[in-house]
Amino acid sequence: MLRVAALVTFLACLASSQVKHRAGYCAFYDECGRNPTVGGSLIPPIVPCLNYSQAQQVTEDHYRKLKQVCPMLDQGENNTYACCSIQQLLSLEMSLTLSKALLVRCPSCAENFAHLHCATTCSPNQTQTVNVTKVMNVTHLGRPRDAVVAYQAYISSTFAEAAFQSCKNVRIPATGGFAIATMCGRYGSKLCTAQRWYDFQGDTSNGLAPLDIDFQLMKENDTTGVPEGIVPYNGHVIGCNENTTSGGIACSCQDCIDSCPRVAPPPPPPEPFRLLGIDGFLVISIILLCLLILAFVGYLSVSCYVKSKNRKDQKKNGSKGNSKDKNGNEVGQQVISPWEVTWADKTSLAAQAFLSRKFQHWGTLMASYPLTVLLVAAIIVAIFSVGLKSIKLTTDPVELWSAPNSRARQEKDFHDKHFTPFFRTNQLILTAPGRKGHIYDSLLFGKQNFSGLISKDLIIELLDLQRKIQHIKFWSEDLNRTATLKDVCFAPLNPSNPSLTDCAVNSLPQYFQNSLDNINAKVNMTELGVTQEVDWRDHLIYCLNSPLSFKDITDLGMSCMADYGAPVFPFLAVGGYKDDEYINSEAFILTFSLNNYIRDNPKFKVALQWETEFLKIVQDYQNNPAANFTFAYMAERSLEDEINRTTAEDIPIFMISYAVIFVYIAVALGEYSSCKRLLVDSKFLVGLGGILVVGCSVLASMGFYSWIGIPSSLVILQVVPFLVLAVGADNIFIFVLEYQRDKRKIGETQEKQIGRVLGKVAPSMLLCSLSESVCFFLGALSTMPAVKSFALYAALAVLMDFVLQITAFVALLSLDARRQDNNRCELLCCVTVSTRHPRTPNEGFLLPFMRKYYAPVLLHCVTRIIVMLVFIFMLCASLFLMLNVKVGLDQELAMPKGSYMLDYFHYLYKYFEVGVPVYFVTKKGFNFSTVEGMNAVCSSVGCDQFSMTQKIRYAADYPERSYIAIPANSWVDDFIDWLNPESKCCRLYTSGPDFGNFCPANISGFLCTKRCMPIPEDGVIRPTMEEFNRFLPDFLGNRPDLQCSKGGLGAYDTSVVRDQDGEIIATRFMAYHTPLTNSQEFTAALLKARELAKNITLVMRKIPGTSPDFEVFPYTITYVFYEQYLTIVKEGLFNVSLCLLPTFVVCCLLLGLDLLSGLLNLVTIIMIVVDTVGVMTLWSIDYNAVALINLVTAVGISVEFVSHMTRSFALSTKMTRIERAKEATATMGSAVFAGVAMTNLPGILILAFAKAQLIQIFFFRLNLVITLLGMVHGLVFLPVLLSYFGPGVNKAVLLQQQDNQIQETEIKISEVQDNISYSEDEAKKDSVSKSRRASTEVQEASQTEEKDVRIDHL
């Protein structure tokens, strides 16, 4: 029997070879049933009958069908001949329908595609184009027939190339990819050529071709191997930018480059600012440096000239003048006349006297009733602190860094409200480093180089891990049952009642439908006479290049679609490849997508539980020594979990930091006159009390704001206590040290002494605390929630700290002073010592050192010049560095060192080839149902050249500038294509109970013969408003399949939101960003996307009927975090400026409108902030919201370093600026150094051991910089600056001192004279004794007078 069949085949081939190839003759005609050599085809493989005969004239229905299917062959009703029956035309129409569904967006492409197959199937000159190569005997309708199962088609390369060019750029709106990629087999769109395109069409393994066609593309005048009589077909090809013969208009720009208007490329990024060929900011900084140095040198020159002239005048006038010091400044006592005192001097003195008097009375009162004061303070703090029971700790990054009224937050809320939140991503990126690749010689694809990762055993291992994760089960208290992945998974094609296989899991095993049998499948296949085994590798190569295929081109016949029904694009399955060489990938990507529920939804907790189980399985697998993968992983909850974990782990570090500060304060505050009095003179309890005051002020602040509903954050818990401790410790040191240095007056009680000391130092404490508090209250005007809440908490905490210091701490110091006066030991109050406290005040070590050594060296004439030049250089250099500071916060910095998320970010940036999806969202107010509305959005034939999707496509042509890698999909385009009557997508039932309703494409055509829309004459499908509203729900609910790949379910059903009246109130169009790896790229991508969306909005508003407030905006999940960096520079300048303003105003007011002191105070603080930002650049500390909080803190700490010194200098009565600067440096500088610098530094250094990178960078590094710069500016630069430019001595203070001295001297002399009342005849010895006693009293009175009239410089 086999021999007979072989003989018949041979004779048929012999007969066909003897057929004459001439015009007007057919090679085959009519249908002979199914092709016996094709199995598993997606459509019935009907083949034609061998029939060498003349072409038949077509008339009536036959003619009309030919004109419909192959209009290019129409020669008129009575003059048209063809080589195909009407049945052949019906089969050809069915076959073309599936392919044209992808190409119908471009009518000329669709017609050119049909033209080729019409030429080979129906051309009246068929034998001149076709050479039959294989015939088989088949039984059809009960009789044997010779069926053509293979032939050669000779096509002109000119025709073939032109047709290919008309179709190569046609896109698939749902994916943003090219249609040609699904029609070129293994080559995809990038490697596809005309020959490869035709070869795929003629290959029966593609599931669509009914027989094998060997397309021979012949160049002009090349007859090599061409049978005699064959004339390569060279019909007319319609350019994609031309109208079709049937009336269809030219293709759109998105599908045809030749149709694109000339669009100017986007402008290049702005060039860096340059002057004279170098960095412009560097030039400006150098010029500023030169100007400041010249100004300073000029000032020195003028000063020297003036002093020299004054000396000459004095010599000329013969005046000895006052004595001069070595710096040329006058020394000696100056006599002040009342008319010399200015109004400003009087005002300053009055302000100081008023404040000192009030604080003295207040301090005496607090010291007199210490226990009552402490009790009342404790009650007030307790009342405030009760609010802590209602505290809300904000951990959501969105709530922390994005203001509710910010644009990004509002856009996120709009998106989440209408489209549900962005799905939750749980992902693994797996690699297998060190494994050797191999070369696979494929029957279909030739030699292919597989990386070591792409191996069968690793794919199976990946599948096992995937299945283990997919089958996670756990008990859910919220659902009261066992929960699985299907309860929370994202199931795009079956969202209402998903099964496990409906869950969206993207991975490489999905190309095998997660089937081990499919991975192990292999079959022998013959191609071009070569028989070879094909296996998983051939299938994988094909699917990676054609992910939308329902059937590969191998004899395996497997689909490329995932088991949940959607395609898996290569960039979601593999990574680390170059130039689309997917089989050279270095990483597998396994992604589980979950629905993202709002936090109040019970399923939100279920999703969190599933992610917890996911992490457990992944971590167990990672610890398995048998695992062959090296991988990184993350769950949606990982970021927040890791931040919370590291915060909890670093709490001991903060506790140690505070403990070190406490120990330092307790030790540094003590007086150590002798070893025997060590426990008496120590200030352990005072130091503890100071720490408690800080803690109580923080608790009171947090409790108050919890009462009124302002949430707290981890930043507040970490920064505010540190800030208040820095501020509070300084005031404590100044107060306690001044008390220790003060000597109690004769007859003065201990309470009055404390009150008097408080009167001296409290104005300075008020100056700093009020400046800082107002600074932070103004900082609360910030739009960033974290900065705003921090500023509010800090402002009230600083204010409460000051209040508690002048109440509770004064009371505590009073109790401690009583203990010390009674020589009782600290902690052991019942134990007393016999050694008395020395009468002379204890100055300690620091004050004498700074008075004797530091201040004289610092204020030496040479040292002062060096200091000024160094700090001028620091300022200019920092200005330059500040202009180059990096703005942003890379998300990996939020993770602790050693976190698994750091590995994930590293893998993400290294292996991902496409960035995050970005949606272009439209709001209510645009009518999509009108023709103008559709044309303004779509990108297919008939659409506006500058429509919404066209503009996004133009942007995607320049990904390096627009940051858009893949153009947006478009439900409008796919809806139009779905309505196209040339496809089977939109049909209506013509019988049965559903008569007139929508009929899916998988329903038999006998029940649904009517199309939803008629064929338009110009090929442009545009539904009426009624048709649009009627069929849109059917489109969105239609599941895509082989018969209709344009169904909207899964791709668009959640992308179009309509109200109850059917009006579209929100839609979205999804594109993809390029891979974004740092804050700067994320921010630039946001900015460019907004610029594009704004441009689209302005154009769409011009469409008739569009609301004037209609808007298009871009959205992706990261925008809400990176929007702050668009304005954070302006925000920072605004906040820091608001903080600087009160430091100037308060300083001026509390110093009695001393503008110069306020100005110098302000200049020094500005220099500290500028230098801080400059060092941030050098130390790789990015500028962001966390840094801004620290810069606001820097202003507050700088006030402590600067304002005390400025006030001490302003109130000094020394006669020269240098002497006043020395006195301020020695007395107040020692207290500031001990109270601010040495309080902060030990605690800051401890933070270097924290695990969290955020704490190491923004709390250790930045606070160390702030403290060190504040210290050198306050203790080095400011004294020198004051010695040059400080305000003159307050003459009102000098006049008052002068008057008091005269009055007290007169009183003392009068008292001495009154004592001489004895008779002159008393014994000479007694008289002499009295005289001596009187003389001694005068001397003592003179000494006391000098001390009493001395104005305290604190």
Side-chain angles (χ1 to χ4, degrees):
M1 193 67 183
L2 290 174
R3 292 180 179 178
V4 174
L7 180 61
V8 170
T9 301
F10 172 74
L11 292 174
C13 292
L14 182 62
S16 65
S17 66
Q18 295 175 348
V19 170
K20 294 181 179 179
H21 300 285
R22 55 180 178 172
Y25 278 80
C26 303
F28 44 78
Y29 191 85
D30 211 356
E31 293 183 342
C32 280
R34 298 177 66 92
N35 187 342
T37 65
V38 177
S41 179
L42 299 175
I43 60 174
I46 306 300
V47 292
C49 301
L50 182 67
N51 188 346
Y52 179 70
S53 60
Q54 286 186 320
Q56 303 292 316
Q57 185 179 14
V58 293
T59 57
E60 299 179 352
D61 291 343
H62 194 178
Y63 169 77
R64 285 189 288 272
K65 178 55 69 175
L66 177 71
K67 185 176 180 181
Q68 177 185 346
V69 179
C70 300
M72 71 290 299
L73 299 180
D74 178 26
Q75 300 295 326
E77 187 170 2
N78 298 319
N79 195 34
T80 300
Y81 294 82
C83 289
C84 57
S85 65
I86 192 169
Q87 279 303 121
Q88 283 182 281
L89 285 170
L90 291 173
S91 298
L92 178 61
E93 182 182 33
M94 179 184 296
S95 179
L96 291 176
T97 296
L98 295 177
S99 299
K100 289 172 69 175
L102 297 174
L103 305 174
V104 73
R105 288 168 47 84
C106 180
S108 54
C109 165
E111 188 160 321
N112 290 334
F113 179 82
H115 189 167
L116 173 68
H117 294 284
C118 286
T120 57
T121 304
C122 295
S123 171
N125 302 316
Q126 192 179 59
T127 56
Q128 289 186 309
T129 302
V130 171
N131 182 37
V132 177
T133 57
K134 188 175 182 179
V135 178
M136 294 191 69
N137 186 267
V138 298
T139 300
H140 180 61
L141 298 179
R143 63 192 184 97
R145 303 286 296 274
D146 291 333
V148 177
V149 294
Y151 65 81
Q152 292 177 321
Y154 289 85
I155 310 296
S156 166
S157 61
T158 303
F159 173 88
E161 187 64 32
F164 173 72
Q165 291 297 327
S166 70
C167 293
K168 66 180 291 187
N169 293 308
V170 177
R171 292 188 178 268
I172 302 176
T175 66
F178 294 100
I180 205 77
T182 66
M183 304 175 69
C184 212
R186 60 186 180 268
Y187 299 106
S189 62
K190 189 172 184 179
L191 300 178
C192 193
T193 63
Q195 182 67 65
R196 291 169 176 173
W197 186 41
Y198 286 133
D199 287 345
F200 179 81
Q201 295 176 39
D203 191 346
T204 53
S205 63
N206 64 19
L208 298 174
L211 72 167
D212 290 315
I213 307 174
D214 180 14
F215 287 98
Q216 299 288 322
L217 305 187
M218 308 302 298
K219 294 182 179 179
E220 190 175 355
N221 300 323
D222 183 6
T223 59
T224 305
V226 177
E228 184 180 354
I230 289 289
V231 179
Y233 187 79
N234 191 17
H236 174 68
V237 177
I238 304 171
C240 60
N241 60 337
E242 299 175 355
N243 295 338
T244 66
T245 56
S246 58
I249 64 175
C251 307
S252 70
C253 171
Q254 189 158 13
D255 300 314
C256 174
I257 295 178
D258 293 336
S259 294
C260 292
R262 290 188 176 182
V263 178
E271 293 290 332
F273 175 54
R274 305 184 76 81
L275 290 174
L276 305 176
I278 59 177
D279 192 317
F281 296 119
L282 178 60
V283 174
I284 292 175
S285 299
I286 293 174
I287 294 173
L288 179 61
L289 174 64
C290 296
L291 291 176
L292 289 177
I293 291 177
L294 288 175
F296 178 66
V297 172
Y299 170 80
L300 291 179
S301 301
V302 172
S303 299
C304 292
Y305 173 76
V306 171
K307 291 178 181 179
S308 175
K309 185 178 180 181
N310 289 338
R311 283 196 297 268
K312 290 180 180 179
D313 291 342
Q314 289 175 356
K315 290 181 180 179
K316 183 178 180 180
N317 296 329
S319 173
K320 295 181 179 181
N322 294 330
S323 62
K324 307 285 184 177
D325 65 6
K326 59 183 177 181
N327 294 311
N329 296 303
E330 292 185 359
V331 296
Q333 184 67 38
Q334 180 180 0
V335 179
I336 303 297
S337 300
W339 58 267
E340 297 182 64
V341 179
T342 64
W343 174 83
D345 290 341
K346 293 180 181 178
T347 304
S348 177
L349 177 62
Q352 299 305 315
F354 174 79
L355 291 174
S356 296
R357 186 169 58 255
K358 294 299 181 184
F359 278 118
Q360 180 175 349
H361 293 161
W362 176 264
T364 303
L365 179 64
M366 295 298 105
S368 301
Y369 306 97
L371 295 178
T372 304
V373 171
L374 289 174
L375 179 61
V376 172
I379 293 174
I380 294 174
V381 170
I383 293 174
F384 276 93
S385 301
V386 170
L388 289 172
K389 64 182 178 61
S390 305
I391 190 171
K392 293 181 180 179
L393 197 63
T394 302
T395 58
D396 186 355
V398 176
E399 298 288 340
L400 279 175
W401 305 114
S402 182
N405 58 347
S406 69
R407 178 178 172 182
R409 185 73 174 278
Q410 290 178 340
E411 290 171 351
K412 179 185 184 301
D413 293 342
F414 180 90
H415 177 274
D416 293 351
K417 175 183 177 182
H418 292 89
F419 304 107
T420 70
F422 204 85
F423 54 78
R424 302 177 68 89
T425 299
N426 301 271
Q427 194 169 72
L428 294 93
I429 306 174
L430 305 100
T431 63
R435 287 179 63 104
K436 291 184 178 180
H438 68 281
I439 296 177
Y440 173 60
D441 191 2
S442 171
L443 174 68
L444 298 172
F445 308 105
K447 290 187 177 181
Q448 300 289 324
N449 185 19
F450 278 71
S451 68
L453 179 76
I454 310 295
S455 62
K456 185 176 180 179
D457 61 320
L458 290 183
I459 295 175
I460 293 175
E461 185 173 343
L462 176 63
L463 178 59
D464 291 339
L465 176 61
Q466 177 182 318
R467 285 177 171 175
K468 191 173 183 180
I469 296 173
Q470 282 180 297
H471 291 89
I472 287 176
K473 292 183 180 180
F474 57 92
W475 178 260
S476 170
E477 295 292 341
D478 297 279
L479 299 181
N480 198 27
R481 60 175 173 83
T482 301
T484 63
L485 176 62
K486 69 178 183 179
D487 292 308
V488 291
C489 74
F490 174 62
L493 295 179
N494 189 14
S496 57
N497 186 28
S499 64
L500 202 57
T501 55
D502 290 323
C503 294
V505 179
N506 290 321
S507 66
L508 188 134
Q510 285 284 23
Y511 291 124
F512 303 91
Q513 295 74 53
N514 296 329
S515 169
L516 189 60
D517 292 336
N518 288 351
I519 296 175
N520 290 323
K522 58 181 68 174
V523 67
N524 287 328
M525 180 177 177
T526 302
E527 177 78 8
L528 301 177
V530 179
T531 301
Q532 184 177 317
E533 185 179 82
V534 295
D535 59 13
W536 64 273
R537 288 169 290 195
D538 300 272
H539 176 73
L540 182 61
I541 295 171
Y542 176 80
C543 290
L544 286 171
N545 289 282
S546 301
L548 294 171
S549 298
F550 286 89
K551 183 177 181 295
D552 66 16
I553 62 173
T554 72
D555 284 355
L556 294 170
M558 295 188 298
S559 173
C560 295
M561 305 294 280
D563 63 351
Y564 66 92
V568 177
F569 298 107
F571 57 80
L572 297 178
V574 292
Y577 52 84
K578 293 181 180 180
D579 299 326
D580 294 341
E581 294 290 337
Y582 302 117
I583 58 173
N584 283 323
S585 298
E586 299 178 3
F588 289 142
I589 301 172
L590 174 58
T591 307
F592 296 85
S593 300
L594 308 185
N595 290 319
N596 200 353
Y597 306 96
I598 60 175
R599 291 180 178 258
D600 296 335
N601 191 320
K603 281 199 171 183
F604 176 78
K605 293 183 179 179
V606 180
L608 291 180
Q609 284 183 273
W610 188 93
E611 290 171 358
T612 301
E613 298 299 321
F614 164 81
L615 291 174
K616 289 179 181 178
I617 290 177
V618 171
Q619 289 164 355
D620 289 343
Y621 177 74
Q622 190 176 42
N623 296 328
N624 184 359
N628 291 309
F629 288 114
T630 300
F631 64 93
Y633 59 93
M634 64 84 69
E636 185 72 23
R637 65 176 298 161
S638 294
L639 198 63
E640 191 169 335
D641 283 352
E642 286 296 279
I643 292 175
N644 293 338
R645 178 180 69 83
T646 187
T647 301
E649 290 178 352
D650 284 332
I651 286 178
I653 298 295
F654 278 93
M655 294 298 101
I656 294 174
S657 175
Y658 293 139
V660 169
I661 295 174
F662 162 67
V663 171
Y664 166 75
I665 292 175
V667 172
L669 287 179
E671 297 178 278
Y672 307 106
S673 57
S674 67
C675 295
K676 294 181 179 180
R677 291 185 56 85
L678 183 64
L679 294 179
V680 176
D681 294 335
S682 67
K683 288 291 185 288
F684 179 84
L685 290 178
V686 173
L688 178 61
I691 299 291
L692 289 176
V693 164
V694 171
C696 289
S697 63
V698 174
L699 289 177
S701 176
M702 296 180 67
F704 173 77
Y705 286 116
S706 298
W707 272 119
I708 63 178
I710 297 178
S712 182
S713 67
L714 295 175
V715 175
I716 292 173
L717 295 180
Q718 293 168 343
V719 180
V720 171
F722 176 81
L723 170 66
V724 180
L725 189 59
V727 174
D730 184 33
N731 291 340
I732 289 172
F733 266 88
I734 292 173
F735 184 26
V736 174
L737 290 180
E738 178 62 24
Y739 176 74
Q740 292 173 350
R741 295 169 184 173
D742 183 74
K743 184 178 180 181
R744 191 177 302 170
K745 295 181 179 181
I746 298 175
E748 186 179 43
T749 64
Q750 174 251 337
E751 290 80 6
K752 289 185 178 181
Q753 182 189 12
I754 292 178
R756 180 168 52 79
V757 171
L758 183 66
K760 294 178 183 180
V761 299
S764 185
M765 295 165 58
L766 176 64
L767 168 62
C768 293
S769 299
L770 188 60
S771 298
E772 292 157 358
S773 185
V774 175
C775 160
F776 291 129
F777 273 123
L778 291 176
L781 296 174
S782 172
T783 58
M784 292 184 193
V787 177
K788 181 176 182 177
S789 59
F790 162 78
L792 287 173
Y793 275 78
L796 185 57
V798 169
L799 197 59
M800 285 295 299
D801 183 57
F802 173 73
V803 172
L804 291 176
Q805 282 175 345
I806 63 174
T807 53
F809 187 76
V810 171
L812 184 64
L813 184 63
S814 176
L815 291 175
D816 187 75
R818 294 178 186 180
R819 174 197 62 77
Q820 191 174 9
D821 287 347
N822 293 326
N823 296 324
R824 296 184 180 276
C825 294
E826 197 167 33
L827 300 179
L828 301 172
C829 298
C830 296
V831 179
T832 61
V833 296
S834 58
T835 305
R836 306 297 298 177
H837 188 278
R839 289 187 174 185
T840 57
N842 182 12
E843 291 186 341
F845 164 76
L846 197 57
L847 176 60
F849 170 79
M850 297 193 78
R851 181 192 297 130
K852 187 175 181 180
Y853 299 105
Y854 178 74
V857 172
L858 174 65
L859 294 167
H860 187 273
C861 58
V862 176
T863 308
R864 290 195 299 157
I865 295 174
I866 294 174
V867 168
M868 288 297 296
L869 294 178
V870 168
F871 277 84
I872 288 174
F873 174 79
M874 286 176 56
L875 173 64
C876 296
S878 297
L879 277 173
F880 169 71
L881 292 171
M882 182 177 69
L883 296 171
N884 290 277
V885 70
K886 207 169 157 187
V887 177
L889 175 62
D890 294 336
Q891 51 190 342
E892 55 264 38
L893 290 181
M895 299 295 101
K897 289 184 177 179
S899 171
Y900 65 86
M901 286 297 292
L902 294 178
D903 293 331
Y904 173 76
F905 289 133
H906 173 71
Y907 276 49
L908 179 70
Y909 300 149
K910 182 176 181 180
Y911 295 115
F912 260 65
E913 303 298 327
V914 175
V916 294
V918 53
Y919 295 101
F920 286 86
V921 182
T922 67
K923 292 185 176 181
K924 184 179 180 180
F926 186 81
N927 192 348
F928 288 89
S929 61
T930 64
V931 173
E932 294 84 357
M934 284 181 275
N935 288 342
V937 174
C938 66
S939 57
S940 57
V941 59
C943 300
D944 296 340
Q945 290 185 329
F946 294 96
S947 66
M948 175 183 180
T949 49
Q950 284 285 49
K951 284 181 175 289
I952 299 173
R953 183 248 165 163
Y954 296 148
D957 289 340
Y958 301 91
E960 70 283 353
R961 300 183 194 176
S962 67
Y963 296 93
I964 294 179
I966 299 176
N969 61 18
S970 170
W971 64 267
V972 176
D973 286 275
D974 274 343
F975 179 44
I976 292 172
D977 294 346
W978 183 82
L979 288 171
N980 197 311
E982 296 188 21
S983 71
K984 291 179 61 177
C985 291
C986 190
R987 304 176 301 165
L988 301 176
Y989 281 104
T990 53
S991 61
D994 294 319
F995 177 81
N997 293 332
F998 167 69
C999 173
N1002 57 2
I1003 302 298
S1004 172
F1006 296 106
L1007 298 176
C1008 314
T1009 59
K1010 185 179 179 181
R1011 298 290 193 263
C1012 294
M1013 293 187 64
I1015 299 176
E1017 294 182 359
D1018 59 358
V1020 179
I1021 306 297
R1022 293 294 184 271
T1024 63
M1025 189 176 299
E1026 181 182 352
E1027 291 170 333
F1028 184 98
N1029 294 322
R1030 175 186 176 185
F1031 295 121
L1032 181 60
D1034 297 325
F1035 163 71
L1036 298 175
N1038 186 204
R1039 183 181 181 123
D1041 54 24
L1042 176 65
Q1043 303 299 325
C1044 176
S1045 61
K1046 296 288 186 177
L1049 182 64
Y1052 302 120
D1053 58 308
T1054 59
S1055 295
V1056 182
V1057 181
R1058 302 189 302 162
D1059 60 15
Q1060 295 178 347
D1061 299 326
E1063 181 184 359
I1064 295 176
I1065 57 175
T1067 66
R1068 63 182 182 182
F1069 301 78
M1070 185 178 72
Y1072 279 92
H1073 274 309
T1074 55
L1076 308 173
T1077 59
N1078 54 50
S1079 298
Q1080 292 73 38
E1081 291 182 356
F1082 277 104
T1083 306
L1086 166 61
L1087 184 62
K1088 293 299 181 182
R1090 283 187 172 176
E1091 289 177 359
L1092 177 59
K1094 181 179 180 181
N1095 185 281
I1096 293 171
T1097 300
L1098 295 176
V1099 173
M1100 294 181 70
R1101 283 178 179 174
K1102 297 178 181 178
I1103 304 300
T1106 303
S1107 172
D1109 59 352
F1110 167 77
E1111 182 185 3
V1112 178
F1113 66 85
Y1115 170 77
T1116 192
I1117 191 171
T1118 59
Y1119 285 173
V1120 72
F1121 302 113
Y1122 292 99
E1123 183 194 37
Q1124 57 181 298
Y1125 302 123
L1126 296 177
T1127 58
I1128 195 168
V1129 174
K1130 296 179 180 177
E1131 182 91 9
L1133 291 173
F1134 174 74
N1135 279 278
V1136 173
S1137 298
L1138 284 181
C1139 288
L1140 291 172
L1141 180 63
T1143 64
F1144 173 73
V1145 174
V1146 173
C1147 183
C1148 290
L1149 291 177
L1150 294 185
L1151 290 178
L1153 300 180
D1154 188 347
L1155 297 180
L1156 184 56
S1157 295
L1159 182 61
L1160 296 177
N1161 199 60
L1162 178 64
V1163 167
T1164 307
I1165 295 175
I1166 291 175
M1167 290 179 66
I1168 294 174
V1169 175
V1170 171
D1171 289 352
T1172 299
V1173 180
V1175 176
M1176 284 171 57
T1177 306
L1178 290 177
W1179 209 351
S1180 301
I1181 304 174
D1182 293 351
Y1183 173 69
N1184 48 54
V1186 182
L1188 176 57
I1189 289 176
N1190 280 277
L1191 288 177
V1192 173
T1193 304
V1195 176
I1197 295 178
S1198 299
V1199 169
E1200 295 293 325
F1201 280 111
V1202 174
S1203 296
H1204 292 301
M1205 290 284 293
T1206 304
R1207 182 177 181 274
S1208 178
F1209 179 89
L1211 298 181
S1212 174
T1213 57
K1214 297 291 184 181
M1215 298 312 300
T1216 67
R1217 289 191 177 94
I1218 292 179
E1219 291 301 320
R1220 293 163 64 203
K1222 285 181 180 179
E1223 183 183 37
T1225 303
T1227 55
M1228 184 55 71
S1230 59
V1232 169
F1233 178 78
V1236 184
M1238 295 309 298
T1239 302
N1240 290 358
L1241 284 176
I1244 291 173
L1245 294 176
I1246 297 297
L1247 297 181
F1249 299 97
K1251 292 183 179 180
Q1253 294 186 87
L1254 273 180
I1255 293 177
Q1256 287 188 352
I1257 294 173
F1258 296 103
F1259 295 95
F1260 165 62
R1261 289 190 197 176
L1262 193 51
N1263 280 294
L1264 181 63
V1265 169
I1266 291 170
T1267 302
L1268 292 178
L1269 287 176
M1271 182 175 65
V1272 297
H1273 280 79
L1275 301 180
V1276 179
F1277 173 72
L1278 183 59
V1280 174
L1281 182 68
L1282 291 171
S1283 71
Y1284 280 118
F1285 307 104
V1289 68
N1290 191 319
K1291 293 183 179 180
V1293 175
L1294 288 178
L1295 180 62
Q1296 185 185 49
Q1297 178 182 343
Q1298 179 178 296
D1299 293 342
N1300 291 339
Q1301 188 175 9
I1302 294 172
Q1303 292 176 5
E1304 291 181 7
T1305 303
E1306 292 176 349
I1307 293 173
K1308 291 295 183 181
I1309 294 174
S1310 176
E1311 289 178 352
V1312 172
Q1313 292 175 349
D1314 291 342
N1315 287 333
I1316 307 176
S1317 58
Y1318 299 99
S1319 66
E1320 294 179 354
D1321 58 345
E1322 288 185 352
K1324 183 181 294 185
K1325 185 178 180 180
D1326 292 338
S1327 177
V1328 171
S1329 176
K1330 288 182 180 180
S1331 299
R1332 289 178 178 176
R1333 187 180 301 114
S1335 176
T1336 301
E1337 288 179 357
V1338 170
Q1339 291 178 358
E1340 290 180 352
S1342 178
Q1343 293 175 358
T1344 304
E1345 172 187 307
E1346 288 180 346
K1347 291 184 178 180
D1348 289 343
V1349 299
R1350 178 174 56 88
I1351 302 299
D1352 182 75
H1353 306 117
L1354 291 175

